[in-house]
């Protein structure tokens, strides 16, 4: 009866033990990379479990467990145990050391089960002649060759140089087009300044004649449009002046008619005054004539004022007509000066770009050695016992967290020195001419 009563408890205890062991085994899976040393700035998660005989179960020590970071001095500060040096210790060694110290510190009969999970390794750094130098995430088993792949592979200077050559050649071609547009605009402005009817363009050798013809046609269209606009403005001002002269002439005729009316009324008024004095007519006739005379005189004054305003408008229109060409010449002169300064800048820019293109071709044009044929050398910088040491490495050298891998290959300048100096200037000059085309 006793044995049958104890059987379920034994079964449950065995099941719990198996589960705990499975948990520990999972925590210590190969993904933890026990053989990788715990370098500074490594982030770990510490788990401590002890078998409680009295309770018949495992209990976790959450007060001691948790997440920790290895300091730059290569130590981990743990509650109750204090600072624990992890230099030259891997995962397995550290778990054994922590379990041993806890057993000694607390006086346990059996050491607790300690597991360490690596949360994050310090990164590695790939520098030198690689496509993408920088910081990369570490994983256990990483080799120098794999780090080279992380950095995008070897730096291909030839491809970059070809891209630079193409870019400079494109800039040179764009500058040539800008020079063509600038010279064409200068020819048009000079034609406007001198007042000729046609533009004379200086034919430039070595340029795309079809492109040049398009630019010349555009300048001719602008030239004709501006000339037509100037003619329209001049014609409008001339017509306005003629119209004002006609109005002033008509107003003058009206003034003459008004003066005749005034003289007639004055004569009638003189006669009426004589008759009123003799008592031959009523005085109201005299008053009517006086009012009419005042109206005629007021109308005459308005006409004279309108004539003065018309003559003032004629004078202003004449000034505008005379100043129209002066204003256009001033604007053209200002544009001419600005365009000449721009042309000088373009010529200087073309000279500098052509020189850069020649230097670029000279730096890479005389070598037949490709980047892929050059050997790579690897140097690893590693922190050890508070000091940094460097050593030559191969493609299969295993890396540890925090390593700096430097990739070096023969510089381009060393290869150019092997080319024939006598043939290089002639070849680069020819290639620069071809590239600019």
């Amino acid at each position: 009866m006793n044995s049958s009563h104890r059987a379920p408890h034994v079964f449950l205890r065995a099941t719990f033990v198996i589960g705990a062991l499975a948990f520990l085994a999972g925590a210590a899976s190969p993904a933890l990379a026990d053989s990788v040393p715990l370098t500074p700035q490594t982030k770990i998660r510490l788990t401590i479990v002890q078998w409680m005989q009295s309770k018949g179960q495992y209990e976790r020590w959450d007060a001691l467990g948790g997440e920790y970071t290895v300091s730059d001095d290569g130590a981990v500060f743990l509650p109750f145990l204090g600072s624990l040096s992890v230099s030259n210790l891997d995962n397995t060694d550290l778990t054994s050391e922590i379990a041993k110290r806890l057993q000694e510190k607390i006086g346990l009969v059996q050491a607790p089960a300690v597991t360490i999970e690596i949360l994050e390794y310090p990164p590695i750094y790939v520098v030198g002649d690689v496509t993408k130098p920088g910081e990369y995430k570490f994983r256990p088993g990483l080799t120098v060759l794999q780090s080279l792949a992380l950095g995008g592979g070897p730096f291909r200077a030839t491809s970059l140089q070809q891209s630079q050559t193409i870019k400079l050649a494109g800039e040179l071609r764009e500058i040539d087009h800008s020079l063509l547009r600038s010279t064409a605009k200068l020819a048009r402005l000079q034609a406007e300044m001198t007042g000729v009817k046609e533009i004379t363009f200086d034919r430039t050798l070595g340029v795309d004649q079809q492109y040049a013809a398009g630019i010349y046609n555009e300048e001719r269209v602008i030239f004709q449009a501006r000339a037509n606009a100037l003619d329209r403005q001049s014609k409008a001002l001339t017509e306005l002046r003629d119209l004002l002269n006609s109005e002033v002439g008509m107003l003058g005729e009206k003034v003459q008619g008004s003066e005749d009316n005034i003289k007639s009324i004055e004569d009638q008024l003189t006669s009426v005054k004589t008759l009123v004095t003799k008592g031959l007519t009523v005085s109201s006739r005299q008053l009517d004539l006086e009012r009419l005379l005042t109206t005629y005189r007021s109308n005459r004054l308005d006409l004279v004022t309108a004539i003065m305003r018309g003559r003032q408008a004629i004078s202003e229109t004449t000034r505008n007509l005379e100043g129209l060409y002066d204003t256009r010449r001033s604007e053209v002169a200002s544009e001419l000066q600005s365009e000449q300064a721009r042309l000088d800048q373009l010529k200087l820019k073309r000279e500098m770009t052509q020189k850069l293109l020649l230097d670029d071709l000279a730096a890479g044009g005389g070598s037949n050695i490709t980047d892929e044929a050059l050997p790579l050398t690897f140097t690893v910088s590693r922190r050890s016992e508070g000091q940094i040491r460097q050593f030559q490495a191969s493609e299969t050298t295993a890396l540890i967290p925090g390593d700096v891998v430097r990739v070096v290959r023969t510089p381009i300048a060393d290869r150019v020195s092997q080319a024939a100096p006598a043939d290089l200037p002639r070849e680069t000059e020819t290639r620069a001419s071809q590239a600019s085309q």
Side-chain angles (χ1 to χ4, degrees):
M1 183 70 180
N2 265 345
S3 61
S4 62
H5 179 72
R6 287 161 123 193
H9 293 280
V10 173
F11 175 76
L12 291 174
R13 183 179 300 177
T15 303
F16 184 84
V17 171
I18 293 173
L21 291 176
F23 165 77
L24 295 177
S29 63
L32 299 179
D34 292 343
S35 60
V36 178
L38 299 175
T39 57
Q41 301 306 316
T42 301
K43 295 181 180 180
I44 62 175
R45 177 182 289 121
L46 178 64
T47 304
I48 303 174
V49 179
Q50 186 185 21
W51 171 255
M52 304 299 294
Q53 186 69 30
S54 59
K55 298 181 180 180
Q57 63 182 13
Y58 281 95
E59 287 188 356
R60 295 179 56 170
W61 294 5
D62 291 332
L64 294 180
E67 297 182 2
Y68 301 94
T69 301
V70 180
S71 67
D72 292 336
D73 297 333
V76 176
F77 185 83
L78 301 177
F80 187 68
L81 294 181
S83 180
L84 178 61
S85 177
V86 298
S87 300
N88 301 322
L89 296 180
D90 57 19
N91 197 331
T92 304
D93 296 335
L94 182 59
T95 55
S96 300
E97 182 67 21
I98 294 175
K100 178 182 176 181
R101 291 197 179 193
L102 286 174
Q103 184 180 13
E104 295 176 353
K105 192 80 173 179
I106 303 177
L108 300 175
V109 176
Q110 184 178 2
V114 179
T115 59
I116 292 179
E117 179 185 359
I118 304 298
L119 299 179
E120 182 180 344
Y121 289 105
I124 64 166
Y125 302 87
V126 184
V127 297
D129 296 333
V130 293
T131 304
K132 297 184 295 182
E135 173 185 307
Y136 294 95
K137 187 176 181 180
F138 175 83
R139 67 174 184 275
L142 188 67
T143 64
V144 168
L145 184 59
Q146 291 172 337
S147 70
L148 177 63
L150 292 176
F155 178 75
R156 292 173 175 82
T158 300
S159 300
L160 179 63
Q161 184 181 12
Q162 290 175 353
S163 301
Q164 180 69 11
T165 301
I166 294 173
K167 179 181 178 181
L168 290 173
E171 290 180 358
L172 190 61
R173 185 177 180 84
E174 183 180 355
I175 292 173
D176 286 338
H177 288 172
S178 298
L179 283 171
L180 178 62
R181 288 192 293 269
S182 183
T183 53
K185 184 177 181 180
L186 282 175
R188 189 252 300 169
L189 293 174
Q190 290 171 355
E192 291 181 355
M193 180 66 72
T194 55
V196 297
K197 299 299 183 181
E198 293 291 337
I199 309 175
T200 302
F201 296 104
D202 294 333
R203 300 295 176 179
T204 305
L205 298 178
V207 299
D208 187 354
Q209 295 302 321
Q210 184 176 1
Y211 179 80
I215 296 297
Y216 296 154
N217 288 334
E218 291 177 0
E219 292 297 334
R220 290 191 183 96
V221 171
I222 296 174
F223 176 77
Q224 191 62 44
R226 287 164 66 96
N228 293 339
L230 184 62
D231 291 341
R232 285 195 298 270
Q233 292 177 1
S234 176
K235 184 178 179 181
L237 290 174
T238 302
E239 291 176 352
L240 177 61
R241 185 176 61 179
D242 295 341
L243 178 62
L244 291 173
N245 284 325
S246 299
E247 289 182 354
V248 169
M250 294 175 62
L251 289 174
E253 294 178 359
K254 289 184 178 181
V255 168
Q256 184 63 43
S258 179
E259 288 178 350
D260 293 341
N261 291 333
I262 290 173
K263 188 175 183 309
S264 176
I265 296 300
E266 287 177 346
D267 293 341
Q268 294 182 28
L269 185 59
T270 301
S271 301
V272 170
K273 285 182 179 180
T274 303
L275 293 175
V276 170
T277 302
K278 294 179 179 182
L280 299 177
T281 185
V282 295
S283 59
S284 59
R285 174 62 178 168
Q286 179 181 351
L287 294 175
D288 292 338
L289 291 173
E290 288 177 349
R291 285 195 295 268
L292 184 59
L293 180 62
T294 301
T295 302
Y296 281 154
R297 286 175 177 174
S298 176
N299 292 338
R300 179 182 179 278
L301 183 61
D302 291 340
L303 291 172
V304 171
T305 302
I307 290 174
M308 293 177 61
R309 290 175 179 172
R311 289 174 178 172
Q312 183 180 3
I314 291 173
S315 299
E316 183 178 357
T317 304
T318 302
R319 287 194 303 270
N320 292 338
L321 182 60
E322 294 174 350
L324 179 63
Y325 293 94
D326 293 337
T327 302
R328 174 56 60 88
R329 285 177 61 86
S330 176
E331 293 175 353
V332 171
S334 178
E335 291 183 30
L336 192 63
Q337 185 178 11
S338 299
E339 194 62 32
Q340 186 63 51
R342 180 173 178 270
L343 180 63
D344 295 338
Q345 292 178 355
L346 286 173
K347 288 180 178 179
L348 179 60
K349 184 177 180 180
R350 187 189 190 283
E351 181 181 352
M352 297 300 297
T353 304
Q354 187 176 24
K355 184 178 183 302
L356 290 174
L357 180 58
L358 289 172
D359 293 343
D360 190 68
L361 293 174
S367 175
N368 295 324
I369 302 176
T370 61
D371 291 331
E372 289 74 9
L374 295 173
L376 296 175
T377 58
F378 305 98
T379 304
V380 176
S381 299
R382 179 173 297 174
R383 181 186 293 272
S384 178
E385 297 179 356
Q387 296 182 349
I388 298 178
R389 65 183 185 92
Q390 294 183 347
F391 60 90
Q392 295 294 322
S394 65
E395 295 180 349
T396 58
T397 301
L399 299 176
I400 67 172
D403 280 353
V404 179
V405 181
R406 178 177 295 277
V407 182
V408 179
R409 77 178 348 152
T410 306
I412 297 176
D414 295 345
R415 308 201 305 270
V416 173
S417 63
Q418 301 172 3
D423 297 336
L424 198 56
R426 189 184 312 111
E427 181 186 355
T428 54
E429 189 71 33
T430 303
R431 294 179 63 184
S433 177
Q434 294 174 351
S436 64
Q437 297 299 324

